[in-house]
């Protein structure tokens, strides 16, 4: 869930009563992970069940002040309690010895592949091993899918699946889609997906004969970040701000513009300024850059396009991911073309058989057809535009109840209540 940031924080304080289950929630960050796995689920829990739960959400906790912890029946954390991973397992055992039930939450596999920009940092600090050590000693672990649950059960049998979910009344999932003469194809995500998006290399060129009917969107463009430079002679490391042209998002754009061949020279000059100011006439261009949004409004970008793309490479890190891209596209009633990998096999059924549309709810691309089927499926929808609407409606029907935050919160409440005898 990279690329998002929560610019607010919660500390829900209600009067404690013995009739309520007192629950402490410790998010791992103030980004999308914190929002979907810690903050939103427990704000909703408090609001739906005010007579059953008292919820505190704290980002910074003192593990040395045991009096602070004694008032809680349940502690829910994501990945680690505090930043000291080495102390965390010992502290979890201490909480359990005090009669406090400890629940760990995890939504991403603990060791990214070598293609991920953070892998070396994780390996050097053995963070992947420390996350597993934390989860091993928890009473329960909550995760996003049965696929990931089966992996976690190798070292902790008490795993519960509570998926990422959407509040259907959340304004960011109710932005109207403006009509267009073109069929808009979009991707929305963070800065760690270059190797996933490379699966789309050549797609735009293959669709060149129908380019006049298409417009591409890349949503989340961001030029923030740093670069670490190493002096070859001394080995000294220095950090500097990344130059706009060095950002991975430029590489994303190259994929979606056939190396800028499908846009006008004037528009290319504008893109090279890396300004967020509006470009007059952008609706006539074949590609649109959409800048990053805060976590509480990023999903509005789904309203900008008609077909959502979800390419992921087939490796363990991606197979353990959540199906959030499916959920978000579904609540927006977007036609979805996705890799036939891991989390996207849970709810999606391929809607083509022998080239004809069937009763599926998405178009899936098999690993051995990445070179051809992204373009082929887009062309199929361009040739049959009514299916864009139909697939969007079918996907919505697949997700609207299963991933409604209200329904998932009911399940969460039942689970938490079952823990307190």
């Amino acid at each position: 869930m990279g690329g998002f940031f929560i610019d607010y924080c919660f500390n829900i304080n209600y009067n404690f009563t013995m009739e309520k289950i007192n629950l402490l929630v410790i998010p791992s960050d103030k980004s999308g992970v914190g929002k979907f796995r810690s903050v939103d689920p427990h704000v909703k829990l408090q609001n739906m069940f005010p007579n059953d739960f008292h919820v505190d959400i704290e980002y910074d906790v003192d593990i040395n002040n045991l009096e602070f912890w004694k008032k809680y029946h349940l502690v829910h954390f994501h990945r680690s309690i505090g930043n000291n991973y080495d102390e965390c397992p010992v502290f979890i055992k201490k909480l359990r010895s005090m009669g406090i039930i400890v629940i760990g939450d995890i939504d991403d596999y603990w060791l990214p592949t070598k293609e991920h920009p953070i892998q070396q940092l994780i390996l050097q600090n053995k963070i992947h091993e420390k996350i597993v050590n934390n989860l091993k000693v928890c009473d329960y672990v909550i995760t996003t899918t049965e696929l990931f649950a089966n992996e976690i059960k190798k070292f902790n049998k008490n795993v519960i699946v509570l998926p990422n979910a959407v509040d259907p009344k959340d304004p960011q999932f109710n932005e109207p889609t403006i009509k267009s003469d073109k069929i808009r194809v979009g991707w929305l995500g963070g800065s760690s997906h270059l190797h996933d998006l490379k699966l789309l290399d050549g797609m735009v060129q293959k669709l060149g004969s129908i380019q006049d009917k298409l417009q591409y969107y890349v949503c989340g463009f961001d030029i923030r970040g740093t670069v670490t430079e190493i002096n070859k002679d001394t080995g000294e490391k220095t950090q500097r701000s990344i130059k706009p042209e060095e950002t991975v998002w430029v590489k994303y754009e190259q994929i979606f513009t056939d190396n800028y061949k499908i846009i006008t020279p004037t528009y290319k000059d504008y893109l090279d300024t890396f300004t967020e100011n509006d470009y007059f006439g952008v609706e006539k261009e074949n590609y649109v850059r959409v800048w990053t949004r805060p976590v509480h409004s990023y999903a509005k970008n789904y309203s900008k396009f008609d077909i959502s793309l979800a390419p992921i490479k087939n490796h363990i890190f991606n197979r353990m991911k959540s199906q959030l891209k499916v959920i978000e596209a579904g609540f927006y009633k977007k036609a979805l073309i996705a890799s036939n990998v891991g989390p996207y096999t849970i709810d999606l059924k391929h809607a083509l058989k022998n080239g004809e549309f069937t009763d599926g709810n998405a178009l899936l691309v098999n690993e051995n057809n990445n070179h051809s089927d992204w373009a082929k499926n887009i062309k199929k929808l361009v040739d049959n535009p009514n299916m864009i609407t139909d697939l969007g409606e079918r996907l919505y029907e697949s997700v609207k109840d299963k991933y409604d935050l209200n329904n998932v919160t009911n399940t969460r409440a039942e689970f938490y209540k079952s823990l307190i005898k």
Side-chain angles (χ1 to χ4, degrees):
M1 295 183 187
F4 309 130
F5 185 79
I6 298 178
D7 54 6
Y8 51 83
C9 71
F10 292 94
N11 185 5
I12 304 175
N13 286 307
Y14 296 88
N15 292 327
F16 284 102
T17 65
M18 292 308 295
E19 292 79 19
K20 295 182 180 181
I21 296 173
N22 300 324
L23 169 63
L24 175 64
V25 178
I26 308 166
S28 60
D29 58 34
K30 296 182 179 181
S31 68
V33 174
K35 172 183 169 62
F36 278 101
R37 299 308 301 169
S38 301
V39 177
D40 285 6
H42 292 98
V43 171
K44 178 64 73 172
L45 180 76
Q46 180 72 84
N47 291 337
M48 287 179 64
F49 299 93
N51 297 322
D52 299 307
F53 295 94
H54 168 97
V55 179
D56 282 338
I57 300 178
E58 297 277 4
Y59 290 91
D60 298 308
V61 290
D62 183 359
I63 66 173
N64 297 310
N65 180 9
L66 294 182
E67 286 300 316
F68 167 79
W69 300 86
K70 287 179 181 178
K71 60 196 176 202
Y72 296 108
H73 301 105
L74 306 176
V75 169
H76 175 288
F77 73 92
H78 187 82
R79 284 201 289 263
S80 183
I81 299 176
N83 295 322
N84 192 325
Y85 282 83
D86 294 312
E87 291 182 355
C88 188
V90 176
F91 184 64
I92 291 172
K93 291 177 183 178
K94 180 64 177 176
L95 291 178
R96 294 181 65 182
S97 73
M98 295 164 59
I100 298 169
I101 297 171
V102 181
I103 303 167
D105 185 279
I106 187 83
D107 70 322
D108 270 336
Y109 190 69
W110 33 86
L111 181 60
T113 61
K114 61 183 180 181
E115 299 164 344
H116 199 287
I118 204 171
Q119 194 217 40
Q120 280 305 309
L121 178 66
I122 289 175
L123 285 172
Q124 287 168 8
N125 294 280
K126 299 184 177 180
I127 294 174
H128 58 303
E129 296 177 7
K130 295 172 183 178
I131 290 173
V132 171
N133 289 338
N134 290 344
L135 300 178
K136 278 181 180 178
V137 295
C138 288
D139 290 287
Y140 297 90
V141 178
I142 296 175
T143 192
T144 51
T145 70
E146 290 291 347
L147 294 171
F148 200 5
N150 290 334
E151 188 70 22
I152 298 165
K153 286 177 183 176
K154 293 176 182 178
F155 55 81
N156 190 325
K157 300 298 183 184
N158 298 324
V159 186
I160 307 297
V161 174
L162 291 175
N164 286 324
V166 165
D167 186 340
K169 293 184 179 179
D170 187 338
Q172 70 169 325
F173 285 96
N174 288 278
E175 191 78 3
T177 297
I178 299 171
K179 291 185 178 181
S180 172
D181 293 334
K182 292 196 172 189
I183 292 173
R184 295 156 295 184
V185 179
W187 178 86
L188 189 158
S191 60
S192 61
H193 295 282
L194 178 60
H195 289 271
D196 295 323
L197 289 180
K198 281 184 176 180
L199 299 178
L200 307 181
D201 254 342
M203 175 189 76
V204 173
Q205 184 181 35
K206 290 182 178 72
L207 292 166
S209 62
I210 55 170
Q211 182 55 66
D212 59 319
K213 299 178 181 179
L214 290 166
Q215 187 178 47
Y216 299 99
Y217 283 71
V218 169
C219 302
F221 198 95
D222 197 349
I223 56 175
R224 295 172 297 179
T226 58
V227 172
T228 300
E229 296 179 325
I230 303 174
N231 186 305
K232 293 181 179 179
D233 298 324
T234 66
E236 181 185 3
K237 295 181 180 180
T238 57
Q239 263 193 353
R240 63 169 174 82
S241 294
I242 194 169
K243 297 175 184 177
E245 63 271 18
E246 293 173 332
T247 179
V248 71
W249 292 89
V250 169
K251 295 178 181 178
Y252 291 3
E253 278 192 343
Q254 291 168 348
I255 292 170
F256 277 89
T257 61
D258 190 17
N259 204 21
Y260 297 104
K261 292 174 186 173
I262 66 169
I263 65 173
T264 62
T266 304
Y267 186 49
K268 176 62 165 62
D269 290 341
Y270 160 79
L271 292 178
D272 286 343
T273 66
F274 298 98
T275 177
E276 295 187 44
N277 296 333
D278 292 338
Y279 179 82
F280 180 75
V282 70
E283 69 280 354
K284 297 178 183 177
E285 291 289 343
N286 292 321
Y287 165 76
V288 179
R289 173 193 291 170
V290 182
W291 289 84
T292 186
R293 284 177 175 262
V295 70
H296 57 263
S297 63
Y298 78 96
K300 288 183 178 181
N301 286 331
Y302 278 95
S303 69
K304 297 182 182 296
F305 47 83
D306 310 296
I307 300 170
S308 181
L309 302 183
I312 55 172
K313 289 189 71 175
N314 186 7
H315 51 63
I316 190 165
F317 185 75
N318 280 343
R319 289 194 297 273
M320 299 302 112
K321 277 186 170 293
S322 84
Q323 63 279 64
L324 188 58
K325 286 282 192 295
V326 174
I327 298 167
E328 291 173 338
F331 272 90
Y332 258 105
K333 299 184 178 181
K334 301 299 174 182
L336 179 64
I337 306 175
S339 295
N340 193 16
V341 171
Y344 302 155
T345 65
I346 296 170
D347 302 288
L348 300 182
K349 180 182 178 183
H350 190 50
L352 281 175
K353 186 174 182 180
N354 299 323
E356 299 298 323
F357 285 102
T358 59
D359 61 346
N361 58 2
L363 297 181
L364 294 174
V365 177
N366 291 324
E367 189 176 8
N368 58 346
N369 293 324
N370 277 316
H371 64 286
S372 61
D373 281 10
W374 294 98
K376 189 181 296 184
N377 286 333
I378 290 173
K379 186 175 187 306
K380 192 72 176 179
L381 291 177
V382 170
D383 292 341
N384 299 272
N386 61 306
M387 287 306 301
I388 297 174
T389 302
D390 287 353
L391 288 177
E393 290 288 345
R394 294 179 195 176
L395 187 57
Y396 173 71
E397 290 298 320
S398 300
V399 305
K400 68 179 179 66
D401 296 323
K402 185 176 181 180
Y403 301 111
D404 182 326
L405 184 57
N406 297 284
N407 296 334
V408 175
T409 302
N410 277 320
T411 305
R412 182 183 296 273
E414 291 173 8
F415 168 56
Y416 287 170
K417 288 177 184 178
S418 74
L419 303 181
I420 306 299
K421 306 303 182 185

